[in-house]
Every structure is written in structure tokens, then in C-alpha cells.
Amino acid sequence: MHSIVCEDVWMVYRSMFSEKVALSGVDLKIPKNKIFGLLGPNGAGKTTLISLMATLLRQTKGRIEVLGYDAIKDLKEIRKRINIASGNPNLIWSLTVYENLRYYSLLYGLNDRKVVEQLIKEFELEEFRNVEFNRLSTGNKQKLILARAFVNDPELVFLDEPTKGLDPPVAKRLREKIQSLQKDLGITVVLTTHYMSEAEMLCDRIAFINRGKIVAEGTKEELKRMLKMRDKITIEVDAKVPEMKLDGVFMVERDGNLLSFYVDSAESRLWDLAKEVAKFGRIKNISVKEVDLEDVFNELAK
Amino acid sequence: MNLRNEVYKTLGFTYRNFIITKRNFFTLFETLFWPVIGLLSVGLMGAYLNLEENYLAFILIGAVTLSVLQVSQLDVAYVLLFDIWSKSLRYTFVTPISIFNMLFGAWLFGALRGFIAFLILLICSEFLFDLNLLIQPFGVLLFLFGIFLSAMIIGTLTCSLLLIFGYRAEVAAWTLTAIFMLLCGIYYPITLLPSGVREIAYMIPLTHFLEFYRSFYNFPASSDNPALMGFLLSFVLLFFLFLILIWALDRARRKGTITQFSE
Ligand SMILES: Nc1ncnc2c1ncn2[C@@H]1O[C@H](COP(=O)(O)OP(=O)(O)O)[C@@H](O)[C@H]1O
Ligand SMILES: [Mg+2]
């Protein structure tokens, strides 16, 4: 049983003068009671996808099922059971920590001050209980935003770049908090990030998203294999080189006389590779470049 | 639908408007300062012109209506604006509330503020101008309810415009009341308006509520039962405005307005 199922989901932002395709045919299954990561560069469509799943947007085409409910027809059923927190920490400025939490718990139809007090304690905000939102530090704002996401005891929580803009030690503590909350409550967490390391540390499964498409999806172990492509060795030869199989080479790109090899490590593979290629022709040029994540995404997208 | 849950959801918005008002000196100011200034200046003008008592009532009713409407509509109009200004719209809309919880909750607080403003003005006109605005208490309550419905109409319209046109529509919160006032005969009978405009005025509930209040002081009304007319028009208008708002909200989900207002 999956917590979220997306089938051929498209999102097109239309305005009077322009049209922006933010998602094009996303298929995705998110398992229950795990931390699922959506990893991608800025503008990839992460916020769009997470907002669709959280019913804040309505897809142009396709089907989204959240906790067994349809994201167009059963809005309320979904909303009761989910919550969201974003790395842009914005809540009503002039409400205090307590008032913000109390306000949102009322919006869930709950009139229980104990729940609010418990959250304040759980998220170590006691000291700031009566401080207005705009007077809090970024770290405490982020804590409050996260605390707010638990007022309705959700089964599923969306976190949109939760550690954005935080100092590394604060970000680290927040990550640990997310991890322990997920474990203790047994909930599903879907989070977006553009930090590879964050996804690696937190997520059981990761989907790469780029230019509105899911490019790869799998467990850390499955993805590790792809991410071993660290370097790109480009060799120019004056003859045609046949297909060949070499250790440590994940992918070969051909562009006329240019051969590009994606390898785990240029240092240890370059010599063997050059020797092998030299059997078929004269080498005119060799260059080595580090592969960045986006290269991998793009390669996978083809 | 659990009734108790719905009540809490609605009161959530009342609570929020209450806190924001409590904290913001200027919104408190709006409840007290401008209404009293309005009443004083109009009342003094009346005294200078040596108006008969019922004509003084005529213009003071105008000043009172303007203030009470202004004060109570702001709460409804602001209900979305607070979230838009704070960029927190997504956190409100991700909860299982309906737009009616939102409007109604804010409206309750607006009505409370409007009621307080009215009481203050009632006392002021009694002591400063020796004029009793409460000669028909039950009628006055009906009139107030009518004004609060008009506040809901203006607030709902503002919310729709905000969702459709974005920040640019912010100005609607202030201008709509002014336009309503001009059309509804705030300090004059609508018979003074040129035909064409007069017909539009006739379609606006506020016109009839003003005529209803003024009929206590023997001014003629354009219909036999101005209160009934006002309520009928209000409910018809609100029905259509609610439909427009529901459409605007769905449109906002398709266009990404809600997430845009949250970044
Ligand atoms: N409300 C919107 N209206 C128009 N275009 C949008 C809107 N929101 C996002 N976009 C565009 O859609 C693309 C994906 O954006 P987004 O989902 O925010 O990406 P990410 O969160 O991965 O950075 C971007 O090109 C962005 O400019
Ligand atoms: Mg984003």
C-alpha cells in the first residue's frame, strides 16, 4: 500500500501572457511510513509537486492519490490527515508562538490547549512561548513552522526544503529532529531538497527531479551506483572506436570523434582507458572534468 | 460534518482577527477614532446649518452607517490579506477549513467591532447633539444586521478580487465601501441621483437599509418594506458572490496563486 500515487501528472502554469510547464508526466509511488526525498536543482518542480500532493495546487492533467483519496475530489479528507512545512518560514507576523499554534489547531477543528502546550515543549519553544513570530530567530521560526505541521497529528507530512538558509549546526539538529519524529510517530515524510547529502542522510528512498520530470527513483543503494559517476573523461581520436566494456565506466557518450566516458574515478581509470582507446587510433586530446549532479540528471533524462 | 469542529474552525478566524486587532494599535484606532471624527464633523455641520431634528438624524444616520460599515467590512476583507502580507497563505489553505469558516469567523469579529463602534456613536450623538438614534431599538438591531451583511458582501467581493487579481486588488478593500457609499445615498436621498445611476443604487441592499433606518424619522422609502427588500437583495447577492469566490479559489489552485502568495 502506498501513501501517495502520482500517475502521469502534468502541471502547466498559465497566465495571460505566458505558459510554463512545471511538471510533465510525473509517475511516482511513495511508500508508507518512510522518509521520501525529492531531490533536484532550483526550478526543477519540487515545490510544485509537493504542493500538488498537499492539495494547494490542482494538476492540469493526471491523477494524484494521497492516502487513498483523490486529490481533486476528496480535498477535505486529505487535508485532515496531512500537513506541510516550508523552508521559507512565514507565519502571521504579529501572533506569538502560542497564538500561532492555537490558531492553527482551531482550524483543524481542535480546541485542546494541551496539544498546543505539548508541541511547545516538544519543539523546545517554551522560552519563546509569548514571542511574536517576527521577533523569533530564523532557527526558532523554523522550529515553529515544524511544530505547526504536527498540530493535527498527521499521517503524512510534507517538508519543502526544511533546512533552507539555516546555519549548518542548526540544520543538523533540525534533520535529527525530523528523523526522530518520523521514527517515533511512524509517519510518512516527503521532503524536498537540493542538497545531495541531506537526501542521503534522511531519506529511505529518493527521486531525482529535473525540468519537471522524475529522472531516477530508488533506494540509496540503488542510486549510489549511478552517483558513482564522478568524472567525465573526454578523448578525441582520429578513428572509429568500437563498443567496449571497461571496469569502472558507467556510460559512454559518442559525438563524432569525441568519446566521453563517465567513470567512478578519473585518476584510477584514465591510464587503462587511454591504452584501450589507443589500440584503435591516435589520441589527439584528452580532457577530464568532474561530473556534477545536474550532468547526471540530464544524462538520465535522455 | 461535525458541528462542533465547524464551530472551532470558524472561531479560529475570529480568534486570529481578535489577536491581530488587539496587537495592532492602528486597527484599534480605526474602531474608535475615525467613527467619532466622522460623526463630529457631520454633526457640527448640521448644527451650523441649523437643521431640524429629523434632518440632523438623516445625516447622522449617514455618518453612523459609513463608520459601522467601514469598521466591520475590514475584518472580512483583511482575512485573506493578513495571510497574503505574511506570506502564510499555504498554511491556512492546507487545513481542512472551507472558505465559509474563514469569511464567517472574520465576519463575527467584524460585526462585534461594528457593534462597539455603533454603541460609541449612539452615545456621542445623544450627548453631543441631543439626538436619540435608538427610537426603535428592534428596528435598529435589524438595521445593524443589514449593515453587517453589507460588510460581508464587500469583504467577500474583496477576497475574490484578491484571489483573481493578486495584490493589485488590495485597494478594493478601501474603495469598494466608498463607491457603495456614493451610490447608496449616504447623505442624500437616492432620488437626487441621475436616472441610470439611481437604478443601480436600487439594486444595492445598503440603500434600503439606510431608507429603513431613516423611515423611523418619517423619511419616505423607495419600497414598501425597505428592510425586507434589503435582506432579500443581500441574500441574493451573497449567494452569487459565494459562487464567484468558490470559483476564484479553484482557479487559484489551478494557477498557483496560493503557492505564489507563500513565497
Ligand atoms: N505560481 C507560478 N506561476 C508560474 N510559474 C511558476 C509558479 N510556481 C512555479 N513556477 C515555475 O515552475 C517551475 C518550477 O518551480 P518550483 O516548483 O518552484 O521549483 P523548485 O521548487 O524545484 O525550485 C519554475 O520554472 C518556476 O518558475
Ligand atoms: Mg522550491
Side-chain angles (χ1 to χ4, degrees):
Chain A
M1 184 50 185
H2 289 97
S3 156
I4 300 174
V5 178
C6 296
E7 279 171 11
D8 192 29
V9 171
W10 289 71
M11 184 68 201
V12 184
Y13 291 110
R14 285 202 184 93
S15 76
M16 211 143 28
F17 311 105
S18 66
E19 207 176 89
K20 168 81 200 172
V21 182
L23 294 177
S24 40
V26 167
D27 287 301
L28 194 63
K29 287 196 167 86
I30 297 182
K32 269 209 162 124
N33 308 337
K34 298 242 160 65
I35 302 187
F36 189 93
L38 275 172
L39 176 65
N42 279 331
K46 302 183 294 296
T47 300
T48 301
L49 184 53
I50 218 170
S51 304
L52 278 169
M53 299 190 291
T55 74
L56 290 169
L57 293 174
R58 180 179 162 161
Q59 69 268 28
T60 314
K61 195 184 147 220
R63 207 174 67 86
I64 301 176
E65 204 183 278
V66 181
L67 302 171
Y69 296 100
D70 185 274
I72 290 183
K73 281 186 298 202
D74 310 317
L75 280 185
K76 282 224 172 133
E77 294 304 319
I78 295 175
R79 287 177 180 173
K80 274 187 221 164
R81 296 167 173 82
I82 65 162
N83 217 320
I84 191 168
S86 159
N88 291 333
N90 295 316
L91 288 181
I92 297 284
W93 295 330
S94 54
L95 264 57
T96 64
V97 168
Y98 174 85
E99 289 159 353
N100 259 307
L101 292 174
R102 175 111 175 92
Y103 160 62
Y104 286 108
S105 74
L106 282 169
L107 297 199
Y108 284 95
L110 308 167
N111 180 30
D112 190 349
R113 291 184 173 87
K114 265 188 250 139
V115 172
V116 174
E117 299 296 351
Q118 229 158 6
L119 282 172
I120 290 179
K121 214 160 159 192
E122 168 78 34
F123 286 83
E124 297 158 13
L125 287 162
E126 291 112 320
E127 217 185 307
F128 310 99
R129 194 179 179 283
N130 297 318
V131 178
E132 289 171 32
F133 183 75
N134 59 349
R135 303 237 168 102
L136 294 171
S137 68
T138 314
N140 283 328
K141 280 183 181 166
Q142 209 58 275
K143 269 194 210 165
L144 178 57
I145 295 266
L146 199 62
R148 193 216 69 95
F150 289 89
V151 287
N152 61 327
D153 195 13
E155 292 168 43
L156 168 60
V157 173
F158 297 98
L159 304 174
D160 193 7
E161 306 205 28
T163 58
K164 189 168 150 186
L166 295 180
D167 296 334
V170 183
K172 182 165 173 280
R173 253 181 287 138
L174 196 70
R175 279 188 207 115
E176 286 163 2
K177 184 78 195 170
I178 292 168
Q179 219 159 19
S180 72
L181 277 169
Q182 190 276 331
K183 229 179 246 135
D184 296 347
L185 303 172
I187 54 171
T188 310
V189 173
V190 179
L191 71 86
T192 73
T193 177
H194 61 263
Y195 302 120
M196 186 61 217
S197 57
E198 182 163 291
E200 228 182 310
M201 180 199 156
L202 286 178
C203 306
D204 302 293
R205 288 183 81 85
I206 299 170
F208 289 127
I209 180 168
N210 193 26
R211 300 204 190 115
K213 284 202 168 79
I214 303 289
V215 175
E217 193 266 329
T219 62
K220 267 182 273 194
E221 290 67 35
E222 287 165 343
L223 293 170
K224 277 251 168 74
R225 202 182 60 84
M226 295 183 222
L227 290 170
K228 271 199 195 133
M229 308 188 278
R230 283 255 170 71
D231 298 310
K232 178 179 172 181
I233 303 174
T234 307
I235 304 180
E236 196 181 349
V237 277
D238 63 357
K240 190 144 172 53
V241 179
E243 296 271 332
M244 48 189 183
K245 228 174 156 36
L246 289 169
D247 272 354
V249 177
F250 293 95
M251 223 165 14
V252 185
E253 252 180 347
R254 285 159 190 275
D255 180 12
N257 285 342
L258 281 182
L259 290 171
S260 296
F261 300 89
Y262 289 85
V263 298
D264 48 1
S265 147
E267 230 172 90
S268 56
R269 306 292 175 191
L270 183 60
W271 183 239
D272 288 345
L273 222 98
K275 260 199 321 206
E276 199 60 33
V277 172
K279 286 179 187 166
F280 302 99
R282 213 155 53 84
I283 293 177
K284 292 163 85 178
N285 196 3
I286 295 182
S287 68
V288 176
K289 184 181 152 246
E290 207 175 304
V291 173
D292 54 34
L293 219 54
E294 214 163 323
D295 281 348
V296 182
F297 295 155
N298 291 342
E299 201 48 48
L300 289 166
K302 278 181 189 166
Chain B
M1 195 163 75
N2 181 328
L3 186 66
R4 192 190 297 171
N5 284 352
E6 294 307 309
V7 170
Y8 290 143
K9 288 181 198 172
T10 304
L11 289 180
F13 290 100
T14 317
Y15 172 76
R16 186 179 72 168
N17 276 33
F18 166 68
I19 302 279
I20 294 174
T21 304
K22 192 177 80 171
R23 198 134 300 148
N24 187 339
F25 182 68
F26 287 99
T27 40
L28 253 178
F29 214 53
E30 271 163 354
T31 312
L32 303 174
F33 186 73
W34 294 118
V36 173
I37 294 286
L39 189 85
L40 266 178
S41 48
V42 171
L44 288 173
M45 178 177 71
Y48 172 64
L49 296 177
N50 233 338
L51 292 184
E52 276 175 42
E53 183 169 303
N54 61 336
Y55 280 99
L56 185 65
F58 187 98
I59 57 167
L60 285 186
I61 285 173
V64 167
T65 306
L66 178 70
S67 292
V68 174
L69 182 64
Q70 193 79 266
V71 164
S72 48
Q73 64 89 23
L74 278 180
D75 277 284
V76 192
Y78 277 2
V79 75
L80 269 182
L81 273 174
F82 286 142
D83 270 323
I84 291 174
W85 286 330
S86 299
K87 304 185 182 217
S88 55
L89 206 56
R90 77 172 112 209
Y91 295 119
T92 295
F93 280 114
V94 83
T95 68
I97 55 122
S98 82
I99 193 80
F100 300 109
N101 296 127
M102 193 168 186
L103 287 175
F104 194 65
W107 178 78
L108 279 179
F109 190 66
L112 180 70
R113 280 218 287 168
F115 190 72
I116 293 170
F118 179 76
L119 288 182
I120 292 167
L121 296 179
L122 199 67
I123 294 167
C124 284
S125 62
E126 179 74 46
F127 285 99
L128 299 174
F129 303 111
D130 206 15
L131 183 79
N132 181 10
L133 281 178
L134 205 59
I135 52 173
Q136 285 191 30
F138 180 69
V140 169
L141 277 183
L142 268 186
F143 161 81
L144 275 178
F145 185 59
I147 299 298
F148 298 153
L149 283 182
S150 294
M152 183 68 127
I153 289 171
I154 293 174
T156 309
L157 196 54
T158 308
C159 288
S160 300
L161 293 175
L162 280 169
L163 285 173
I164 297 169
F165 299 106
Y167 289 99
R168 280 168 290 169
E170 204 179 302
V171 68
W174 294 279
T175 45
L176 275 171
T177 325
I179 294 170
F180 261 48
M181 286 300 158
L182 192 69
L183 290 174
C184 297
I186 181 76
Y187 295 126
Y188 39 83
I190 58 162
T191 44
L192 279 187
L193 295 171
S195 73
V197 179
R198 203 185 311 145
E199 280 69 37
I200 298 174
Y202 200 72
M203 301 301 294
I204 301 175
L206 196 59
T207 307
H208 302 280
F209 292 126
L210 273 166
E211 289 187 347
F212 173 59
Y213 202 167
R214 283 165 177 163
S215 70
F216 306 163
Y217 298 87
N218 302 320
F219 287 97
S222 19
S223 65
D224 296 337
N225 194 336
L228 184 68
M229 191 72 186
F231 285 118
L232 277 178
L233 279 172
S234 295
F235 290 125
V236 171
L237 258 175
L238 274 175
F239 176 76
F240 286 107
L241 285 174
F242 284 159
L243 290 186
I244 291 174
L245 188 58
I246 290 170
W247 171 80
L249 204 60
D250 186 59
R251 180 182 178 278
R253 280 181 68 224
R254 282 183 279 117
K255 298 256 175 193
T257 317
I258 294 171
T259 42
Q260 223 168 23
F261 277 150
S262 311
E263 292 297 336

